[in-house]
Amino acid sequence: MVPASNNINLHVEDRAKRAMLSGNATPIMTKPICYSTKAFSTTSPESPLSAAVIERRVPTATDVQIQIIYCGVCHSDLHFARNEWNFTQYPAVPGHEIVGRVTAIGSGVKKFKVGDTVGVGCLVDSCRTCADCTSGLEQFCLNMVMTYGSTDKHLGSPTIGGYAQSIVVTEEFVLRMPSNLNLAAAAPLLCAGITTYSPLRRAKVGPGHTVGIVGLGGLGHMGVKFAKAFGAHVVLFTTSPKKAADAKRLGADEVVVSTDEAQMTAQAGSFDLILDAVSATHDLNAYLNLLKRDGNLVLVGAPEKPLPLAAFPLIFRRRSISGSLIGGLPETQEMLDFCGKHNITSDVEIIRMDEINTAYERMLKGDVKYRFVIDMASLN
Ligand SMILES: [Zn+2]
Ligand SMILES: [Zn+2]
């Protein structure tokens, strides 16, 4: 349970308190009143995640306090926990596929009430005034505040993710969850879902389009579901032929084994868009040749090292290659509403919080169908 904000152990930073008592009128940045909540954190790249107690701010006027019910496990969580992107500050708490229930709201909150089922994705704040923010593209704001790995605007310390009992987020960055969806299976929509929905939507994928999805993992399996729901002919590319039956169950019309040259050649020049969700080193040029004139290869996987790129396949058929990053708040809500309407969720395996370290090892081996989701009740 998340402690209600009125019966928890409150404390104020001593420095500020002393200044107040001494009548010092100089404004001092005060640390907001905080409360303690249980979480799972890691203290170094080599350490396993383990139980910890963290602090969240008590909701300010525009904040929503959320009891976290489920949190999806994204591959980014693992990169972050192990400092593989070189910006992790420890102790680190990952988690940005958060669903839960509103337990308290600030006096100025308009969109939510206590008891609402809500979600929080990869962002918890941004500058809100730049051209990206005012266009609803907060994910590109140079001052975006990520759910974990950024600096908390209120506390000045690193932001703390969703492997925790509760989170406090400004209402503009809280999303409404459709009431008909299984909540555990809906958690991965907050990152894997929007990451694949956004580029397909932007390309106006629909009936008459042929769309390729490369890789059947956490991202790829959502790409297949969305491309199918938009009415496209969907082709799944995989290195493992044994994934074919599952890909078809998820909505793929065809499955191509990407290591089979004859199968790849047979698809040459036939795709409007290929969504590449593979983060391992692989041959991009093989996929460029499969695009039609003006076709687009969109990268959403992030290989560690730069990949070689041949210019001819781009030049001769005016093809392009691009990237895409999650989605802004309006599009993320649109995606959730779309999922509610079309009953789309992730295929998930629910785990206990203390199974997270094993889950990371299994994720590295591709041994998950297709997303781990933590049942946060197991943290009590
Ligand atoms: Zn993610
Ligand atoms: Zn901004």
Side-chain angles (χ1 to χ4, degrees), residues 122-140:
C122 304
L123 303 175
V124 288
D125 213 334
S126 68
C127 87
R128 309 192 207 183
T129 56
C130 73
D132 295 319
C133 287
T134 52
S135 309
L137 296 168
E138 297 87 352
Q139 75 272 35
F140 301 119

Side-chain angles (χ1 to χ4, degrees), residues 214-216 219 237 275-282 287 299-303 307:
V214 186
L216 192 64
L219 292 176
F237 294 92
L275 185 69
D276 186 340
V278 173
S279 52
T281 301
H282 61 293
Y287 293 102
L299 307 184
V300 289
L307 302 176

Side-chain angles (χ1 to χ4, degrees), residues 74-77 96-97 122 148 191-192 371:
C74 176
H75 213 104
S76 305
D77 297 357
H96 60 201
E97 292 180 339
C122 304
Y148 58 80
C191 177
R371 203 68 149 179

Side-chain angles (χ1 to χ4, degrees), residues 68-75 77 94-100 119-122 147-148 161-163 183-184 186-195 218-219 222 346 348 371-374 376:
I68 300 175
I69 301 176
Y70 294 106
C71 185
V73 181
C74 176
H75 213 104
D77 297 357
H96 60 201
E97 292 180 339
I98 299 164
V99 291
V120 177
C122 304
T147 306
Y148 58 80
Y163 295 4
L183 206 52
L189 298 176
L190 277 313
C191 177
I194 187 61
T195 297
L219 292 176
M222 290 311 303
S346 287
V348 300
R371 203 68 149 179
F372 288 116
V373 172
I374 306 158
M376 215 46 78

Side-chain angles (χ1 to χ4, degrees), residues 40-85:
F40 245 57
S41 77
T42 176
T43 51
S44 80
E46 297 80 26
S47 310
L49 284 114
S50 60
V53 174
I54 53 144
E55 288 197 329
R56 300 281 194 200
R57 68 181 180 274
V58 167
T60 66
T62 55
D63 282 335
V64 174
Q65 184 193 45
I66 303 158
Q67 175 194 355
I68 300 175
I69 301 176
Y70 294 106
C71 185
V73 181
C74 176
H75 213 104
S76 305
D77 297 357
L78 189 157
H79 288 302
F80 175 70
R82 300 182 177 180
N83 195 25
E84 288 168 358
W85 290 333

